[in-house]
Amino acid sequence: MSIRTLDDLLAEGVSGRRVLVRADLNVPLDKQSGDITDDGRIRAVLPTLSALTGAGAKVVVCSHLGRPKGAPDPQFSLRPVAGRLGELLGAPVHFATDTVGESARSTVDALADGEVALLENLRFNPGETSKDDAERGAFADQLAAFGDAYVDDAFGAVHRKHASVHDVPARLPHVAGRLVLREVEVLSRLTGEPERPYVVVLGGSKVSDKLAVIEALLPSVDRLLIGGGMCFTFLKAQGHEVGSSLLEEEMVETCRNLLERSEGKIMLPVDVVAADAFAPDAAHDTVPADGIPSKRVGLDIGPETVAGFAAALKGARTIFWNGPMGVFEMPAFAHGTRGIAETIAKTDAFTVVGGGDSAAAVRALGLDESSFGHISTGGGASLEYLEGKTLPGIAALEN
């Protein structure tokens, strides 16, 4: 790929110049307190921001958070993020209370060399996500006015054709930030000639969400281990009772076809943790995967499955993991995810954690992030990259 990098921009000199940085600061917030519960995405953009401030740039950061409906919504404000970003940078971050309005203009105009400003949630403006090219372009014009150059360091958003990702690069000199460059380099290793055996672990709730990546990966992987809620549709395709577990009836035949075409590459759970209800304190026990009681719900893979999956992983040279093995947010049903994560962390393989809930699980379970080769910041973006799709944000940087 012919993408200019942050180092190219720094070599040209950025002192006194305004640099617009698209970051992915879409962090989870506690619904009651509004506190940030996982600052991983904020920390991921620090290398790019520190390099720019250290070189004397006036840095204007923009991001989305959550899914507001194109209008200001206090529960999705980036104000808490500005506070945490300032703590991590060791310097105040000036916060604009709108995206491209009076507050944004005055905040950006007041920046001194080496200072950082954060604009309010981009999705408070309908132009950010608009399907109309003219509306999106008009918003991009306003955003681009805040920068002399543009840096995309929001890998978690590069699969979206949004104004700040797709349209702004056409209006400014543009480069890839440290995070985006690293993500592309890592995922390119998986789509090129990965060292074998190449083992992929997929979890999460729905087969339909992962169907395209399963189709893309099956020809190239040596083993595909499937857990999480999506495994029950596969078990149903094998003719097993799955009780009240998560099931996509319309995907059963598709799963049956995938199993027939997989040449034995797909591994499914042999036991699951089945509970009386979807609740953290529900009564539960481990049952064979082909013997789930009719009124019970499967919420985790069982210990025999963890052992079997671990055996398949221990000899791998390349591992990609996307999606938890169970409802890891409930301690009683986190053992499967923990067991697989700890196994992956201990292997000698090149390991990639595919963002989203997988990355959240690593941090929520208190695992050492440095034990993994790479933890992606973009769940959906990483999957679409592996599917071979053109990602609008990456395409915009190549132009």
Side-chain angles (χ1 to χ4, degrees):
M1 291 184 300
S2 55
I3 294 179
R4 297 179 73 243
T5 70
L6 180 66
D7 288 337
D8 294 324
L9 180 63
L10 294 171
E12 296 168 0
V14 294
S15 180
R17 298 174 66 193
R18 295 176 307 168
V19 179
L20 181 65
V21 179
R22 176 52 161 103
D24 180 10
L25 306 178
N26 184 28
V27 295
L29 301 175
D30 184 272
K31 291 181 179 179
Q32 274 71 46
S33 66
D35 294 336
I36 296 167
T37 58
D38 181 355
D39 66 1
R41 282 178 170 162
I42 303 176
R43 288 185 284 112
V45 77
L46 293 179
T48 288
L49 298 184
S50 296
L52 287 167
T53 56
K58 300 175 180 180
V59 182
V60 182
V61 183
C62 59
S63 176
H64 73 285
L65 192 154
R67 295 181 181 272
K69 306 299 183 183
D73 186 336
Q75 68 175 318
F76 296 116
S77 174
L78 280 167
R79 187 179 288 279
V81 174
R84 180 58 179 151
L85 180 58
E87 291 173 1
L88 292 169
L89 286 172
V93 169
H94 306 282
F95 183 65
T97 57
D98 55 28
T99 55
V100 291
E102 183 178 342
S103 177
R105 288 191 294 271
S106 61
T107 301
V108 172
D109 288 344
L111 280 178
D113 295 358
E115 290 189 336
V116 178
L118 175 63
L119 306 181
E120 184 55 285
N121 192 335
L122 291 169
R123 292 185 182 175
F124 285 1
N125 190 304
E128 168 68 359
T129 60
S130 176
K131 298 291 194 297
D132 181 81
D133 289 348
E135 183 180 16
R136 211 176 53 248
F139 183 52
D141 287 340
Q142 293 175 292
L143 280 175
F146 293 143
D148 301 308
Y150 169 85
V151 178
D152 189 344
D153 217 27
F155 183 75
V158 294
H159 60 315
R160 307 294 188 192
K161 191 177 180 181
H162 291 169
S164 63
V165 175
H166 177 263
D167 300 277
V168 171
R171 290 156 168 81
L172 290 172
H174 48 271
V175 303
R178 297 262 161 87
L179 172 62
V180 164
L181 191 64
R182 171 64 176 162
E183 296 272 13
V184 171
E185 288 173 345
V186 166
L187 293 173
S188 294
R189 289 181 62 175
L190 299 183
T191 56
E193 294 292 334
E195 191 174 353
R196 297 187 178 280
Y198 176 23
V199 180
V200 170
V201 186
L202 291 181
S205 58
K206 294 182 177 181
V207 177
S208 54
D209 290 343
K210 303 285 173 70
L211 177 61
V213 78
I214 293 172
E215 294 271 12
L217 289 172
L218 262 182
S220 61
V221 303
D222 296 293
R223 301 306 295 269
L224 176 58
L225 319 181
I226 294 179
M230 62 188 290
C231 78
F232 299 106
T233 303
F234 278 94
L235 292 173
K236 185 73 171 181
Q238 291 184 320
H240 302 319
E241 167 67 54
V242 297
S244 56
S245 305
L246 187 62
L247 176 66
E248 290 183 283
E249 285 281 4
E250 71 280 6
M251 298 297 296
V252 171
E253 186 59 32
T254 299
C255 290
R256 187 175 294 118
N257 291 334
L258 285 170
L259 290 168
E260 291 173 356
R261 292 191 286 116
S262 71
E263 300 175 344
K265 292 181 179 180
I266 294 178
M267 286 184 67
L268 296 174
V270 295
D271 61 343
V272 301
V273 179
D276 287 344
F278 188 92
D281 57 352
H284 60 276
D285 54 21
T286 302
V287 300
D290 60 358
I292 301 172
S294 61
K295 293 183 179 180
R296 287 203 151 195
V297 54
L299 298 181
D300 197 9
I301 58 173
E304 285 189 38
T305 300
V306 172
F309 282 10
L313 289 163
K314 283 175 181 173
R317 298 303 303 161
T318 305
I319 298 171
F320 175 71
W321 168 38
N322 180 279
M325 297 292 98
V327 188
F328 73 92
E329 298 90 345
M330 301 178 186
F333 311 112
H335 300 293
T337 301
R338 178 181 290 280
I340 296 306
E342 289 179 342
T343 298
I344 293 172
K346 292 174 183 176
T347 67
D348 295 326
F350 172 62
T351 58
V352 180
V353 180
D357 286 341
S358 312
V362 168
R363 290 187 278 268
L365 296 173
L367 303 177
D368 182 2
E369 294 182 47
S370 66
S371 300
F372 301 89
H374 179 69
I375 299 179
S376 177
T377 56
S382 63
L383 290 180
E384 290 196 17
Y385 190 98
L386 295 181
E387 290 167 25
K389 288 185 176 180
T390 296
L391 306 183
I394 300 299
L397 294 176
E398 291 180 301
N399 293 331

